[in-house]
Amino acid sequence: MSESWQRQSILAHTDKSSPLRAVHSTGLTGRMCVPGDKSISHRALMLSALCIGKSTITGLLESEDVIATAKAMAALGAYVERTQDGAWHVQGVGVGGLSEPDVEIDFGNAGTGVRLCAGLVAATPINVRFTGDASLQGRPMGRIITPLEQMGAVFEAQTPGRLPLTLKGARDPVPITYELPMPSAQVKSAVLLAALNTPGTTSVIETIATRDHSERMLKAFGADIDIEMQGTTRRISITGQHELTAANVDVPGDPSSAAFALVAALICENSEITVENVMLNPTRTGLIDTLQDMGGDITISNRRLSGGEEVGDVRATSSALHGVTVPAERAPSMIDEYPVLAVAAACATGTTHMAGLQELRVKESDRLAAVANGLEVNGVAVRAGDDWLEVDGGAVPGGGLVATHLDHRIAMAFSVLGLVASAPVEIDDAAIISTSFPDFIDRMRQLGANLEDAPGRS
Ligand code: S3P
């Protein structure tokens, strides 16, 4: 890691919890930008670390999750530097060139970081020990261990399938054909990254489309990648052990971060906001479609291509929302947006039914349970099953204390609920928001949201 990188103090990291109170607000107005997309930021750092030559990344999300990946790439031998104006330079080590780190790699809260990084090193004969925070240690790693072991990697863990674990990369990796057992871009990407240093052709088959940032970026970095459609099934193949070429990546704004301000503007009276430069990749826009189905006044302007991704400016205006049934097939394109959709549903007339939510059980928290509890303690009628959620909308009483369970999206979603509730909503810990959106509270305040620091309640 370069010295100049280490000198930058870009993380206001704190281990202390920081309670927040969200108070009734009207008239949210203004334009805002959201930070760079988290999925693209992780991938840009990882692929640059494998290139020959220097890549430049602008608009990188500088949040705890992504900084953990930057540190991991430095620990694995890449040169990672942040310049004064916020651009990141990464000097890669070449495919197969990662070196064994002399420290454990701590990914904090970042599931994408650790799962993709495991793929990145799985076909290189080095030992890497991975760990994470309490939330990440509770999340399943078996989903990446299974295919990466088929490729020749070995995993050792005290609790099978959980962090902390040691990965022994394969000396003689073998290509596989792997059909995803669940719709997961992280699992798909882990296998594709392992394929880069595996001789022959490795294929991943997905029957349900998940976000395709890895495929797009692998192409941009010159990987030998082929995508074949068989009906609605996609077969993504990589022929490995080809060098990657350095590239410049301009990271567009994260639609999953934009979601909170957009929903806030729809449900607060007299509001109109525009979020600029939002990525509109169709594998990520399920929330916008759903909010429009609910009667939300959302318009998109200035559509353009940026860094191989479609982007645009998204305007949301106060709207009378009505409940809808959200089909299970839409879940992968809005998988991180259900907490804030549930908040929109709580303010709509009628009932909203959301299906196909089994993956919400294994996110940063059990999001199905966390959302249901957060709504319930604030007086919203909610029913949850193993993989579904149903919310009855209407006036939101509020007054509840929401447990975030180290989950940034639960913290942000319920801070939006408080803006429409009759009584303030308290969030037990807003510090976790810095894993994905460090400026969230300031930017929401600039739009007119009443978000107050709250003394802890026991
Ligand atoms: C991500 C994929 C999704 C998503 C996560 C980011 C990615 O997870 O929830 O926030 O960048 O690949 P799954 O792969 O578990 O669906």
Side-chain angles (χ1 to χ4, degrees):
M1 188 185 309
S2 82
E3 266 186 30
S4 54
W5 188 89
Q6 285 176 307
R7 273 203 301 272
Q8 298 292 335
S9 172
I10 55 172
L11 272 187
H13 180 84
T14 168
D15 287 331
K16 281 211 312 246
S17 67
S18 129
L20 183 75
R21 182 185 296 120
V23 180
H24 195 84
S25 307
T26 56
L28 304 191
T29 3
R31 299 179 76 84
M32 78 186 291
C33 283
V34 284
D37 185 71
K38 185 149 73 73
S39 295
I40 293 185
S41 295
H42 283 299
R43 286 159 172 81
L45 287 165
M46 290 189 197
L47 287 184
S48 319
L50 273 200
C51 288
I52 297 280
K54 187 167 88 176
S55 299
T56 300
I57 308 167
T58 48
L60 187 84
L61 167 63
E62 294 177 340
S63 73
E64 290 180 6
D65 276 17
V66 175
I67 298 303
T69 290
K71 287 183 175 168
M73 294 307 105
L76 290 163
Y79 177 89
V80 182
E81 181 187 28
R82 181 185 191 270
T83 64
Q84 289 300 332
D85 58 0
W88 289 70
H89 293 315
V90 181
Q91 183 81 42
V93 294
V95 169
L98 297 173
S99 50
E100 189 163 299
D102 45 20
V103 288
E104 176 179 71
I105 299 188
D106 186 345
F107 269 100
N109 195 254
T112 305
V114 74
R115 291 190 177 122
L116 268 59
C117 190
L120 196 76
V121 301
T124 303
I126 56 174
N127 295 343
V128 184
R129 187 159 173 83
F130 293 114
T131 192
D133 70 5
S135 154
L136 196 54
Q137 288 189 23
R139 298 182 67 185
M141 294 298 142
R143 51 182 58 200
I144 52 141
I145 291 175
T146 301
L148 297 178
E149 281 191 339
Q150 287 173 18
M151 298 177 82
V154 173
F155 290 83
E156 287 171 0
Q158 195 151 20
T159 309
R162 292 282 187 276
L163 293 175
L165 53 75
T166 300
L167 163 52
K168 300 182 168 181
R171 185 162 299 280
D172 297 306
V174 289
I176 59 168
T177 294
Y178 192 69
E179 180 165 338
L180 294 178
M182 73 287 289
S184 167
Q186 293 177 355
V187 177
K188 169 175 69 176
S189 304
V191 176
L192 295 177
L193 292 174
L196 291 172
N197 196 36
T198 300
T201 302
T202 296
S203 300
V204 179
I205 296 170
E206 64 175 9
T207 50
I208 302 171
T210 64
R211 64 191 69 194
D212 62 356
H213 310 302
S214 295
E215 296 92 305
R216 288 172 187 245
M217 207 180 288
L218 281 160
K219 251 186 222 158
F221 278 87
D224 187 349
I225 180 168
D226 180 59
I227 300 170
E228 202 187 323
M229 291 301 297
Q230 293 155 342
T232 53
T233 296
R234 289 171 88 230
R235 185 188 183 95
I236 307 134
S237 301
I238 291 215
T239 303
Q241 298 190 333
H242 288 275
E243 285 302 352
L244 299 181
T245 34
N248 296 335
V249 181
D250 188 19
V251 183
D254 195 329
S256 299
S257 295
F260 302 102
L262 295 174
V263 168
L266 292 179
I267 62 179
C268 291
E269 282 169 28
N270 298 323
S271 300
E272 183 188 311
I273 64 131
T274 300
V275 188
E276 294 170 357
N277 193 35
V278 180
M279 182 180 56
L280 296 169
N281 179 314
T283 61
R284 298 285 299 280
T285 49
L287 178 74
I288 293 180
D289 298 338
T290 303
L291 292 172
Q292 287 173 331
D293 290 351
M294 294 172 82
D297 182 355
I298 296 186
T299 51
I300 299 174
S301 60
N302 198 14
R303 277 185 188 268
R304 58 205 184 276
L305 270 181
S306 169
E309 295 280 1
E310 195 175 324
V311 299
D313 300 340
V314 186
R315 191 188 67 179
T317 309
S318 310
S319 303
L321 301 178
H322 55 81
V324 291
T325 293
V326 189
E329 311 81 77
R330 198 176 283 173
S333 68
M334 53 178 295
I335 195 65
D336 292 334
E337 278 66 82
Y338 283 98
V340 78
L341 174 64
V343 167
C347 306
T349 52
T351 299
T352 295
H353 182 87
M354 302 162 232
L357 305 190
Q358 59 281 357
E359 281 293 304
L360 290 198
R361 296 277 183 199
V362 289
K363 294 296 177 191
E364 286 82 334
S365 67
D366 174 345
R367 279 193 183 150
L368 243 174
V371 168
N373 289 340
L375 291 176
E376 210 167 85
V377 297
N378 283 293
V380 177
V382 55
R383 295 165 293 283
D386 284 349
D387 65 351
W388 59 267
L389 188 70
E390 203 164 71
V391 178
D392 294 338
V396 177
L401 172 65
V402 175
T404 50
H405 303 284
L406 285 177
D407 189 329
H408 54 132
R409 298 201 202 280
I410 296 298
M412 289 187 277
F414 281 96
S415 69
V416 172
L417 185 77
L419 306 181
V420 284
S422 306
V425 169
E426 285 190 28
I427 315 298
D428 67 352
D429 181 16
I432 193 67
I433 293 174
S434 53
T435 62
S436 71
F437 195 165
D439 293 344
F440 171 76
I441 295 173
D442 284 347
R443 294 198 196 185
M444 291 298 290
R445 282 178 179 154
Q446 279 160 16
L447 296 175
N450 293 320
L451 297 177
E452 302 169 356
D453 299 336
R457 227 208 250 184
S458 51

